[in-house]
Amino acid sequence: ARGLGGDRIARAALDEHLELLRQNLGVSLRRPGLRVAEQYYSIHGRGAFLARHLDERHDDTKGELGWTSSTRRSISFLIYLSADGWGEPGGAGAGGDLVAFSRRAGQTECGAHGGNLQVGWLNGRAGHEPVFLDSWVKTQSAVDEGGWRPLSVLYSLEDGQRQVLGAPFFYDAESWPSPADGSGMSPDELEAAFSAQLLEHLRPCFRICDRVDDASLVTRVVPAGGTLVLFDSVAVPHEVAPTLSGERYAMAGWLHQKVQEPPDWC
């Protein structure tokens, strides 16, 4: 097979750094089993941009693609490779900033909890509380005598303990719009669907992870060569501003985690 060109020594050094990063993030973020699963080179010429999006979502909102993969994106990373002087007069180029939108969540974890992915935020007195979706609540089946049916529930965390935010539900509930699995819904429709499952007094406080509003914290990162960017793949919507001049080079990728497996009784 024909070998790849380029600087093999530099790529080997990068692999070593990514491995150390993987190990450190797995410990510090309590995300065991992280692995580098996707990498690609990104070249943006003048005028190129990337619209606002999320890198990962809860499997229950993916339609036919939901629960079909063994791993999911956990941490997104960017390594900028542009030449010196990006954004400076006479430099390699300008524009192409990463623009990320986050929330002030205090000390609680976000993105996922116990394998359950985050789907939104509650605007609380102490900032924003992540809202997680558990799709495997064991419930007695009304159809199959002696059998069990998995229902879903939304919850937040308080002092590390689950605080259920509404009654368990299934996607045949009258308050859940079609399509039942959530696929094809716009962020506005998904936000309304999840809000309807919350206790009534919490509904005005709920925002889906996609939502960007006046409470969002905006971070702009200039794509200067040698810069490493990390963010949660589930909780942080982001976009790339148009490149104004030059070519913006980067390596992008994701650290994956195992997808939560259905319980034995299901």
Side-chain angles (χ1 to χ4, degrees), residues 170-219:
F170 194 67
Y171 300 112
D172 57 4
E174 292 183 4
S175 56
W176 191 270
S178 59
D181 57 16
S183 62
M185 287 189 193
S186 69
D188 287 343
E189 291 171 325
L190 270 175
E191 184 173 87
F194 283 128
S195 293
Q197 315 312 318
L198 296 169
L199 297 171
E200 189 169 358
H201 72 280
L202 297 176
R203 294 173 188 173
C205 305
F206 180 76
R207 300 290 183 271
I208 200 168
C209 285
D210 304 67
R211 179 68 60 198
V212 172
D213 54 27
D214 291 342
S216 301
L217 303 177
V218 182
T219 301

mmCIF file of all heavy atoms in Angstrom, residues 170-219:
data_model
loop_
_atom_site.group_PDB
_atom_site.id
_atom_site.type_symbol
_atom_site.label_atom_id
_atom_site.label_comp_id
_atom_site.label_asym_id
_atom_site.label_seq_id
_atom_site.Cartn_x
_atom_site.Cartn_y
_atom_site.Cartn_z
ATOM 1 N N PHE A 170 -43.581 8.505 27.442
ATOM 2 C CA PHE A 170 -43.162 7.786 26.253
ATOM 3 C C PHE A 170 -43.513 8.661 25.064
ATOM 4 O O PHE A 170 -44.295 9.608 25.180
ATOM 5 C CB PHE A 170 -43.851 6.412 26.141
ATOM 6 C CG PHE A 170 -43.216 5.495 25.134
ATOM 7 C CD1 PHE A 170 -41.948 5.000 25.336
ATOM 8 C CD2 PHE A 170 -43.894 5.140 23.980
ATOM 9 C CE1 PHE A 170 -41.348 4.160 24.408
ATOM 10 C CE2 PHE A 170 -43.306 4.300 23.042
ATOM 11 C CZ PHE A 170 -42.036 3.804 23.254
ATOM 12 N N TYR A 171 -42.966 8.331 23.897
ATOM 13 C CA TYR A 171 -43.153 9.211 22.755
ATOM 14 C C TYR A 171 -44.502 9.040 22.068
ATOM 15 O O TYR A 171 -44.714 9.550 20.985
ATOM 16 C CB TYR A 171 -41.996 9.028 21.767
ATOM 17 C CG TYR A 171 -40.679 9.366 22.425
ATOM 18 C CD1 TYR A 171 -39.730 8.393 22.677
ATOM 19 C CD2 TYR A 171 -40.421 10.659 22.841
ATOM 20 C CE1 TYR A 171 -38.539 8.706 23.314
ATOM 21 C CE2 TYR A 171 -39.230 10.987 23.471
ATOM 22 C CZ TYR A 171 -38.297 10.006 23.707
ATOM 23 O OH TYR A 171 -37.121 10.319 24.347
ATOM 24 N N ASP A 172 -45.425 8.308 22.717
ATOM 25 C CA ASP A 172 -46.806 8.268 22.246
ATOM 26 C C ASP A 172 -47.691 9.205 23.060
ATOM 27 O O ASP A 172 -48.903 9.232 22.898
ATOM 28 C CB ASP A 172 -47.367 6.842 22.290
ATOM 29 C CG ASP A 172 -47.287 6.216 23.686
ATOM 30 O OD1 ASP A 172 -46.859 6.918 24.630
ATOM 31 O OD2 ASP A 172 -47.639 5.041 23.815
ATOM 32 N N ALA A 173 -47.058 10.005 23.953
ATOM 33 C CA ALA A 173 -47.830 10.941 24.765
ATOM 34 C C ALA A 173 -48.467 12.013 23.884
ATOM 35 O O ALA A 173 -47.918 12.411 22.859
ATOM 36 C CB ALA A 173 -46.926 11.603 25.811
ATOM 37 N N GLU A 174 -49.656 12.468 24.278
ATOM 38 C CA GLU A 174 -50.348 13.494 23.500
ATOM 39 C C GLU A 174 -49.530 14.776 23.415
ATOM 40 O O GLU A 174 -49.639 15.535 22.447
ATOM 41 C CB GLU A 174 -51.706 13.800 24.124
ATOM 42 C CG GLU A 174 -52.710 12.645 24.010
ATOM 43 C CD GLU A 174 -54.060 13.023 24.574
ATOM 44 O OE1 GLU A 174 -54.229 14.192 24.976
ATOM 45 O OE2 GLU A 174 -54.950 12.156 24.602
ATOM 46 N N SER A 175 -48.713 15.024 24.439
ATOM 47 C CA SER A 175 -47.916 16.253 24.467
ATOM 48 C C SER A 175 -46.667 16.169 23.609
ATOM 49 O O SER A 175 -45.937 17.143 23.476
ATOM 50 C CB SER A 175 -47.519 16.580 25.919
ATOM 51 O OG SER A 175 -46.835 15.486 26.494
ATOM 52 N N TRP A 176 -46.407 14.974 23.014
ATOM 53 C CA TRP A 176 -45.219 14.820 22.175
ATOM 54 C C TRP A 176 -45.640 14.869 20.711
ATOM 55 O O TRP A 176 -46.391 14.023 20.241
ATOM 56 C CB TRP A 176 -44.525 13.489 22.464
ATOM 57 C CG TRP A 176 -43.172 13.410 21.829
ATOM 58 C CD1 TRP A 176 -42.890 12.932 20.577
ATOM 59 C CD2 TRP A 176 -41.934 13.841 22.377
ATOM 60 N NE1 TRP A 176 -41.549 13.042 20.322
ATOM 61 C CE2 TRP A 176 -40.940 13.598 21.413
ATOM 62 C CE3 TRP A 176 -41.572 14.403 23.599
ATOM 63 C CZ2 TRP A 176 -39.600 13.904 21.625
ATOM 64 C CZ3 TRP A 176 -40.245 14.703 23.802
ATOM 65 C CH2 TRP A 176 -39.271 14.447 22.833
ATOM 66 N N PRO A 177 -45.172 15.849 19.961
ATOM 67 C CA PRO A 177 -45.592 15.972 18.554
ATOM 68 C C PRO A 177 -44.947 14.906 17.687
ATOM 69 O O PRO A 177 -43.953 14.303 18.048
ATOM 70 C CB PRO A 177 -45.100 17.366 18.168
ATOM 71 C CG PRO A 177 -43.914 17.596 19.048
ATOM 72 C CD PRO A 177 -44.227 16.903 20.358
ATOM 73 N N SER A 178 -45.505 14.664 16.526
ATOM 74 C CA SER A 178 -44.903 13.724 15.588
ATOM 75 C C SER A 178 -43.781 14.439 14.824
ATOM 76 O O SER A 178 -43.800 15.670 14.718
ATOM 77 C CB SER A 178 -45.962 13.204 14.606
ATOM 78 O OG SER A 178 -46.540 14.286 13.881
ATOM 79 N N PRO A 179 -42.767 13.717 14.303
ATOM 80 C CA PRO A 179 -42.612 12.270 14.397
ATOM 81 C C PRO A 179 -42.231 11.822 15.802
ATOM 82 O O PRO A 179 -41.529 12.532 16.515
ATOM 83 C CB PRO A 179 -41.492 11.975 13.409
ATOM 84 C CG PRO A 179 -40.689 13.231 13.356
ATOM 85 C CD PRO A 179 -41.682 14.350 13.510
ATOM 86 N N ALA A 180 -42.726 10.657 16.171
ATOM 87 C CA ALA A 180 -42.649 10.225 17.570
ATOM 88 C C ALA A 180 -41.230 10.146 18.103
ATOM 89 O O ALA A 180 -40.981 10.435 19.271
ATOM 90 C CB ALA A 180 -43.326 8.867 17.728
ATOM 91 N N ASP A 181 -40.256 9.752 17.256
ATOM 92 C CA ASP A 181 -38.896 9.569 17.760
ATOM 93 C C ASP A 181 -38.100 10.870 17.806
ATOM 94 O O ASP A 181 -36.951 10.874 18.209
ATOM 95 C CB ASP A 181 -38.141 8.535 16.919
ATOM 96 C CG ASP A 181 -38.101 8.899 15.434
ATOM 97 O OD1 ASP A 181 -38.374 10.075 15.104
ATOM 98 O OD2 ASP A 181 -37.796 8.019 14.622
ATOM 99 N N GLY A 182 -38.702 11.977 17.388
ATOM 100 C CA GLY A 182 -38.005 13.256 17.457
ATOM 101 C C GLY A 182 -37.214 13.594 16.212
ATOM 102 O O GLY A 182 -36.761 14.724 16.047
ATOM 103 N N SER A 183 -37.025 12.623 15.298
ATOM 104 C CA SER A 183 -36.231 12.883 14.102
ATOM 105 C C SER A 183 -36.944 13.883 13.204
ATOM 106 O O SER A 183 -38.161 13.871 13.052
ATOM 107 C CB SER A 183 -35.989 11.578 13.334
ATOM 108 O OG SER A 183 -37.222 11.017 12.908
ATOM 109 N N GLY A 184 -36.172 14.743 12.613
ATOM 110 C CA GLY A 184 -36.738 15.716 11.704
ATOM 111 C C GLY A 184 -37.312 16.943 12.368
ATOM 112 O O GLY A 184 -37.731 17.878 11.689
ATOM 113 N N MET A 185 -37.364 16.959 13.701
ATOM 114 C CA MET A 185 -37.877 18.129 14.409
ATOM 115 C C MET A 185 -36.849 19.249 14.397
ATOM 116 O O MET A 185 -35.648 19.010 14.490
ATOM 117 C CB MET A 185 -38.206 17.795 15.860
ATOM 118 C CG MET A 185 -39.431 16.953 16.071
ATOM 119 S SD MET A 185 -39.816 16.897 17.837
ATOM 120 C CE MET A 185 -41.013 15.561 17.853
ATOM 121 N N SER A 186 -37.317 20.462 14.303
ATOM 122 C CA SER A 186 -36.440 21.615 14.456
ATOM 123 C C SER A 186 -36.100 21.772 15.933
ATOM 124 O O SER A 186 -36.795 21.212 16.799
ATOM 125 C CB SER A 186 -37.136 22.871 13.949
ATOM 126 O OG SER A 186 -38.206 23.218 14.817
ATOM 127 N N PRO A 187 -35.045 22.527 16.266
ATOM 128 C CA PRO A 187 -34.757 22.775 17.686
ATOM 129 C C PRO A 187 -35.946 23.382 18.433
ATOM 130 O O PRO A 187 -36.191 23.026 19.592
ATOM 131 C CB PRO A 187 -33.569 23.746 17.626
ATOM 132 C CG PRO A 187 -32.864 23.380 16.361
ATOM 133 C CD PRO A 187 -33.969 23.042 15.388
ATOM 134 N N ASP A 188 -36.708 24.258 17.793
ATOM 135 C CA ASP A 188 -37.877 24.847 18.444
ATOM 136 C C ASP A 188 -38.907 23.779 18.788
ATOM 137 O O ASP A 188 -39.500 23.787 19.869
ATOM 138 C CB ASP A 188 -38.521 25.905 17.547
ATOM 139 C CG ASP A 188 -37.702 27.181 17.469
ATOM 140 O OD1 ASP A 188 -36.815 27.380 18.334
ATOM 141 O OD2 ASP A 188 -37.941 27.976 16.544
ATOM 142 N N GLU A 189 -39.124 22.839 17.858
ATOM 143 C CA GLU A 189 -40.107 21.781 18.099
ATOM 144 C C GLU A 189 -39.645 20.828 19.195
ATOM 145 O O GLU A 189 -40.442 20.395 20.048
ATOM 146 C CB GLU A 189 -40.369 21.019 16.799
ATOM 147 C CG GLU A 189 -41.108 21.828 15.756
ATOM 148 C CD GLU A 189 -41.167 21.133 14.409
ATOM 149 O OE1 GLU A 189 -40.180 20.442 14.047
ATOM 150 O OE2 GLU A 189 -42.174 21.290 13.714
ATOM 151 N N LEU A 190 -38.353 20.488 19.186
ATOM 152 C CA LEU A 190 -37.829 19.625 20.247
ATOM 153 C C LEU A 190 -37.901 20.314 21.604
ATOM 154 O O LEU A 190 -38.226 19.685 22.614
ATOM 155 C CB LEU A 190 -36.380 19.234 19.940
ATOM 156 C CG LEU A 190 -36.162 17.961 19.127
ATOM 157 C CD1 LEU A 190 -34.682 17.781 18.813
ATOM 158 C CD2 LEU A 190 -36.707 16.746 19.843
ATOM 159 N N GLU A 191 -37.590 21.594 21.642
ATOM 160 C CA GLU A 191 -37.673 22.340 22.895
ATOM 161 C C GLU A 191 -39.091 22.320 23.437
ATOM 162 O O GLU A 191 -39.315 22.093 24.648
ATOM 163 C CB GLU A 191 -37.206 23.770 22.682
ATOM 164 C CG GLU A 191 -37.159 24.605 23.963
ATOM 165 C CD GLU A 191 -36.526 25.962 23.734
ATOM 166 O OE1 GLU A 191 -37.251 26.907 23.358
ATOM 167 O OE2 GLU A 191 -35.309 26.074 23.937
ATOM 168 N N ALA A 192 -40.080 22.521 22.569
ATOM 169 C CA ALA A 192 -41.478 22.494 23.001
ATOM 170 C C ALA A 192 -41.879 21.103 23.474
ATOM 171 O O ALA A 192 -42.606 20.957 24.461
ATOM 172 C CB ALA A 192 -42.379 22.946 21.848
ATOM 173 N N ALA A 193 -41.376 20.052 22.784
ATOM 174 C CA ALA A 193 -41.720 18.688 23.157
ATOM 175 C C ALA A 193 -41.177 18.331 24.534
ATOM 176 O O ALA A 193 -41.878 17.748 25.370
ATOM 177 C CB ALA A 193 -41.194 17.707 22.108
ATOM 178 N N PHE A 194 -39.913 18.664 24.797
ATOM 179 C CA PHE A 194 -39.336 18.378 26.107
ATOM 180 C C PHE A 194 -39.967 19.256 27.186
ATOM 181 O O PHE A 194 -40.214 18.785 28.306
ATOM 182 C CB PHE A 194 -37.817 18.573 26.081
ATOM 183 C CG PHE A 194 -37.065 17.456 25.421
ATOM 184 C CD1 PHE A 194 -36.146 17.713 24.415
ATOM 185 C CD2 PHE A 194 -37.275 16.145 25.803
ATOM 186 C CE1 PHE A 194 -35.446 16.686 23.798
ATOM 187 C CE2 PHE A 194 -36.585 15.102 25.195
ATOM 188 C CZ PHE A 194 -35.672 15.371 24.183
ATOM 189 N N SER A 195 -40.232 20.511 26.887
ATOM 190 C CA SER A 195 -40.837 21.405 27.871
ATOM 191 C C SER A 195 -42.172 20.852 28.356
ATOM 192 O O SER A 195 -42.512 20.957 29.542
ATOM 193 C CB SER A 195 -41.054 22.802 27.271
ATOM 194 O OG SER A 195 -39.829 23.440 26.996
ATOM 195 N N ALA A 196 -42.938 20.243 27.435
ATOM 196 C CA ALA A 196 -44.258 19.722 27.793
ATOM 197 C C ALA A 196 -44.183 18.560 28.773
ATOM 198 O O ALA A 196 -45.175 18.240 29.435
ATOM 199 C CB ALA A 196 -44.996 19.290 26.526
ATOM 200 N N GLN A 197 -43.013 17.919 28.907
ATOM 201 C CA GLN A 197 -42.862 16.797 29.846
ATOM 202 C C GLN A 197 -42.436 17.265 31.247
ATOM 203 O O GLN A 197 -42.383 16.453 32.172
ATOM 204 C CB GLN A 197 -41.825 15.798 29.314
ATOM 205 C CG GLN A 197 -41.954 15.449 27.844
ATOM 206 C CD GLN A 197 -43.353 15.084 27.420
ATOM 207 O OE1 GLN A 197 -44.074 14.365 28.127
ATOM 208 N NE2 GLN A 197 -43.766 15.573 26.249
ATOM 209 N N LEU A 198 -42.136 18.543 31.399
ATOM 210 C CA LEU A 198 -41.690 19.076 32.686
ATOM 211 C C LEU A 198 -42.871 19.475 33.558
ATOM 212 O O LEU A 198 -43.986 19.706 33.059
ATOM 213 C CB LEU A 198 -40.804 20.307 32.454
ATOM 214 C CG LEU A 198 -39.481 20.089 31.721
ATOM 215 C CD1 LEU A 198 -38.874 21.432 31.330
ATOM 216 C CD2 LEU A 198 -38.512 19.302 32.589
ATOM 217 N N LEU A 199 -42.604 19.579 34.859
ATOM 218 C CA LEU A 199 -43.598 20.181 35.747
ATOM 219 C C LEU A 199 -43.925 21.580 35.234
ATOM 220 O O LEU A 199 -43.053 22.300 34.746
ATOM 221 C CB LEU A 199 -43.047 20.243 37.171
ATOM 222 C CG LEU A 199 -42.738 18.880 37.832
ATOM 223 C CD1 LEU A 199 -41.999 19.097 39.149
ATOM 224 C CD2 LEU A 199 -44.020 18.086 38.058
ATOM 225 N N GLU A 200 -45.175 21.961 35.364
ATOM 226 C CA GLU A 200 -45.644 23.162 34.682
ATOM 227 C C GLU A 200 -44.853 24.408 35.054
ATOM 228 O O GLU A 200 -44.549 25.237 34.191
ATOM 229 C CB GLU A 200 -47.135 23.375 34.982
ATOM 230 C CG GLU A 200 -47.765 24.474 34.151
ATOM 231 C CD GLU A 200 -49.273 24.500 34.253
ATOM 232 O OE1 GLU A 200 -49.840 23.628 34.944
ATOM 233 O OE2 GLU A 200 -49.881 25.389 33.636
ATOM 234 N N HIS A 201 -44.476 24.541 36.323
ATOM 235 C CA HIS A 201 -43.781 25.761 36.729
ATOM 236 C C HIS A 201 -42.350 25.826 36.207
ATOM 237 O O HIS A 201 -41.717 26.892 36.216
ATOM 238 C CB HIS A 201 -43.788 25.886 38.262
ATOM 239 C CG HIS A 201 -42.877 24.918 38.963
ATOM 240 N ND1 HIS A 201 -43.207 23.600 39.188
ATOM 241 C CD2 HIS A 201 -41.623 25.084 39.476
ATOM 242 C CE1 HIS A 201 -42.226 22.995 39.823
ATOM 243 N NE2 HIS A 201 -41.253 23.867 40.003
ATOM 244 N N LEU A 202 -41.830 24.695 35.701
ATOM 245 C CA LEU A 202 -40.460 24.674 35.164
ATOM 246 C C LEU A 202 -40.407 24.969 33.666
ATOM 247 O O LEU A 202 -39.345 25.302 33.135
ATOM 248 C CB LEU A 202 -39.820 23.310 35.423
ATOM 249 C CG LEU A 202 -39.614 22.906 36.884
ATOM 250 C CD1 LEU A 202 -39.072 21.489 36.955
ATOM 251 C CD2 LEU A 202 -38.678 23.873 37.595
ATOM 252 N N ARG A 203 -41.530 24.848 32.996
ATOM 253 C CA ARG A 203 -41.532 24.943 31.534
ATOM 254 C C ARG A 203 -40.986 26.264 31.007
ATOM 255 O O ARG A 203 -40.219 26.262 30.037
ATOM 256 C CB ARG A 203 -42.944 24.680 31.008
ATOM 257 C CG ARG A 203 -43.402 23.249 31.258
ATOM 258 C CD ARG A 203 -44.852 23.027 30.903
ATOM 259 N NE ARG A 203 -45.283 21.688 31.332
ATOM 260 C CZ ARG A 203 -46.530 21.254 31.281
ATOM 261 N NH1 ARG A 203 -47.489 22.052 30.800
ATOM 262 N NH2 ARG A 203 -46.828 20.050 31.707
ATOM 263 N N PRO A 204 -41.330 27.411 31.599
ATOM 264 C CA PRO A 204 -40.778 28.663 31.064
ATOM 265 C C PRO A 204 -39.266 28.789 31.240
ATOM 266 O O PRO A 204 -38.643 29.630 30.581
ATOM 267 C CB PRO A 204 -41.516 29.743 31.872
ATOM 268 C CG PRO A 204 -42.732 29.075 32.408
ATOM 269 C CD PRO A 204 -42.321 27.664 32.660
ATOM 270 N N CYS A 205 -38.690 27.969 32.131
ATOM 271 C CA CYS A 205 -37.253 28.071 32.434
ATOM 272 C C CYS A 205 -36.397 27.171 31.566
ATOM 273 O O CYS A 205 -35.167 27.236 31.634
ATOM 274 C CB CYS A 205 -37.009 27.710 33.898
ATOM 275 S SG CYS A 205 -37.961 28.670 35.089
ATOM 276 N N PHE A 206 -37.022 26.318 30.739
ATOM 277 C CA PHE A 206 -36.267 25.306 29.988
ATOM 278 C C PHE A 206 -35.772 25.854 28.661
ATOM 279 O O PHE A 206 -36.491 26.542 27.943
ATOM 280 C CB PHE A 206 -37.145 24.079 29.733
ATOM 281 C CG PHE A 206 -36.447 22.993 28.956
ATOM 282 C CD1 PHE A 206 -35.516 22.167 29.564
ATOM 283 C CD2 PHE A 206 -36.724 22.804 27.602
ATOM 284 C CE1 PHE A 206 -34.867 21.169 28.843
ATOM 285 C CE2 PHE A 206 -36.079 21.812 26.872
ATOM 286 C CZ PHE A 206 -35.152 20.996 27.498
ATOM 287 N N ARG A 207 -34.515 25.528 28.346
ATOM 288 C CA ARG A 207 -33.928 25.828 27.052
ATOM 289 C C ARG A 207 -33.211 24.584 26.542
ATOM 290 O O ARG A 207 -32.429 23.976 27.275
ATOM 291 C CB ARG A 207 -32.921 26.989 27.137
ATOM 292 C CG ARG A 207 -33.516 28.298 27.622
ATOM 293 C CD ARG A 207 -34.453 28.916 26.603
ATOM 294 N NE ARG A 207 -34.967 30.197 27.057
ATOM 295 C CZ ARG A 207 -36.076 30.355 27.793
ATOM 296 N NH1 ARG A 207 -36.770 29.283 28.171
ATOM 297 N NH2 ARG A 207 -36.475 31.553 28.151
ATOM 298 N N ILE A 208 -33.457 24.210 25.284
ATOM 299 C CA ILE A 208 -32.759 23.074 24.692
ATOM 300 C C ILE A 208 -31.285 23.441 24.506
ATOM 301 O O ILE A 208 -30.928 24.630 24.448
ATOM 302 C CB ILE A 208 -33.424 22.687 23.356
ATOM 303 C CG1 ILE A 208 -33.065 21.253 22.967
ATOM 304 C CG2 ILE A 208 -33.064 23.680 22.267
ATOM 305 C CD1 ILE A 208 -33.910 20.717 21.823
ATOM 306 N N CYS A 209 -30.411 22.448 24.391
ATOM 307 C CA CYS A 209 -28.975 22.720 24.286
ATOM 308 C C CYS A 209 -28.643 23.596 23.082
ATOM 309 O O CYS A 209 -27.685 24.381 23.120
ATOM 310 C CB CYS A 209 -28.191 21.408 24.196
ATOM 311 S SG CYS A 209 -28.051 20.524 25.770
ATOM 312 N N ASP A 210 -29.424 23.477 22.014
ATOM 313 C CA ASP A 210 -29.178 24.274 20.810
ATOM 314 C C ASP A 210 -29.405 25.763 21.017
ATOM 315 O O ASP A 210 -28.871 26.591 20.270
ATOM 316 C CB ASP A 210 -30.119 23.847 19.674
ATOM 317 C CG ASP A 210 -30.030 22.384 19.337
ATOM 318 O OD1 ASP A 210 -30.426 21.560 20.181
ATOM 319 O OD2 ASP A 210 -29.594 22.062 18.216
ATOM 320 N N ARG A 211 -30.233 26.106 21.991
ATOM 321 C CA ARG A 211 -30.715 27.478 22.123
ATOM 322 C C ARG A 211 -29.589 28.441 22.469
ATOM 323 O O ARG A 211 -28.819 28.216 23.390
ATOM 324 C CB ARG A 211 -31.794 27.544 23.195
ATOM 325 C CG ARG A 211 -32.371 28.940 23.458
ATOM 326 C CD ARG A 211 -33.174 29.436 22.301
ATOM 327 N NE ARG A 211 -34.297 28.565 22.005
ATOM 328 C CZ ARG A 211 -34.959 28.564 20.858
ATOM 329 N NH1 ARG A 211 -34.572 29.380 19.891
ATOM 330 N NH2 ARG A 211 -35.970 27.743 20.671
ATOM 331 N N VAL A 212 -29.518 29.530 21.733
ATOM 332 C CA VAL A 212 -28.605 30.636 22.029
ATOM 333 C C VAL A 212 -29.458 31.863 22.296
ATOM 334 O O VAL A 212 -30.311 32.224 21.480
ATOM 335 C CB VAL A 212 -27.643 30.891 20.855
ATOM 336 C CG1 VAL A 212 -26.826 32.157 21.087
ATOM 337 C CG2 VAL A 212 -26.718 29.688 20.658
ATOM 338 N N ASP A 213 -29.255 32.492 23.464
ATOM 339 C CA ASP A 213 -30.055 33.661 23.840
ATOM 340 C C ASP A 213 -29.182 34.630 24.629
ATOM 341 O O ASP A 213 -27.955 34.489 24.682
ATOM 342 C CB ASP A 213 -31.312 33.248 24.620
ATOM 343 C CG ASP A 213 -31.001 32.374 25.836
ATOM 344 O OD1 ASP A 213 -29.870 32.491 26.385
ATOM 345 O OD2 ASP A 213 -31.861 31.586 26.254
ATOM 346 N N ASP A 214 -29.828 35.604 25.265
ATOM 347 C CA ASP A 214 -29.077 36.634 25.992
ATOM 348 C C ASP A 214 -28.295 36.073 27.175
ATOM 349 O O ASP A 214 -27.351 36.715 27.652
ATOM 350 C CB ASP A 214 -30.032 37.729 26.476
ATOM 351 C CG ASP A 214 -30.604 38.552 25.322
ATOM 352 O OD1 ASP A 214 -30.020 38.499 24.228
ATOM 353 O OD2 ASP A 214 -31.638 39.226 25.522
ATOM 354 N N ALA A 215 -28.692 34.891 27.672
ATOM 355 C CA ALA A 215 -27.986 34.288 28.808
ATOM 356 C C ALA A 215 -26.777 33.456 28.377
ATOM 357 O O ALA A 215 -26.020 32.988 29.230
ATOM 358 C CB ALA A 215 -28.952 33.412 29.612
ATOM 359 N N SER A 216 -26.598 33.267 27.080
ATOM 360 C CA SER A 216 -25.469 32.470 26.593
ATOM 361 C C SER A 216 -24.157 33.236 26.769
ATOM 362 O O SER A 216 -24.098 34.452 26.574
ATOM 363 C CB SER A 216 -25.660 32.132 25.106
ATOM 364 O OG SER A 216 -26.842 31.406 24.891
ATOM 365 N N LEU A 217 -23.113 32.509 27.146
ATOM 366 C CA LEU A 217 -21.774 33.070 27.235
ATOM 367 C C LEU A 217 -21.070 32.832 25.902
ATOM 368 O O LEU A 217 -20.948 31.688 25.456
ATOM 369 C CB LEU A 217 -20.994 32.408 28.370
ATOM 370 C CG LEU A 217 -21.633 32.487 29.759
ATOM 371 C CD1 LEU A 217 -20.792 31.724 30.771
ATOM 372 C CD2 LEU A 217 -21.808 33.927 30.190
ATOM 373 N N VAL A 218 -20.635 33.907 25.259
ATOM 374 C CA VAL A 218 -20.048 33.807 23.927
ATOM 375 C C VAL A 218 -18.522 33.831 24.040
ATOM 376 O O VAL A 218 -17.946 34.728 24.652
ATOM 377 C CB VAL A 218 -20.521 34.963 23.026
ATOM 378 C CG1 VAL A 218 -19.943 34.815 21.623
ATOM 379 C CG2 VAL A 218 -22.049 35.000 22.974
ATOM 380 N N THR A 219 -17.890 32.827 23.445
ATOM 381 C CA THR A 219 -16.422 32.745 23.412
ATOM 382 C C THR A 219 -15.966 32.708 21.962
ATOM 383 O O THR A 219 -16.432 31.883 21.178
ATOM 384 C CB THR A 219 -15.927 31.477 24.128
ATOM 385 O OG1 THR A 219 -16.376 31.483 25.480
ATOM 386 C CG2 THR A 219 -14.409 31.406 24.109
#
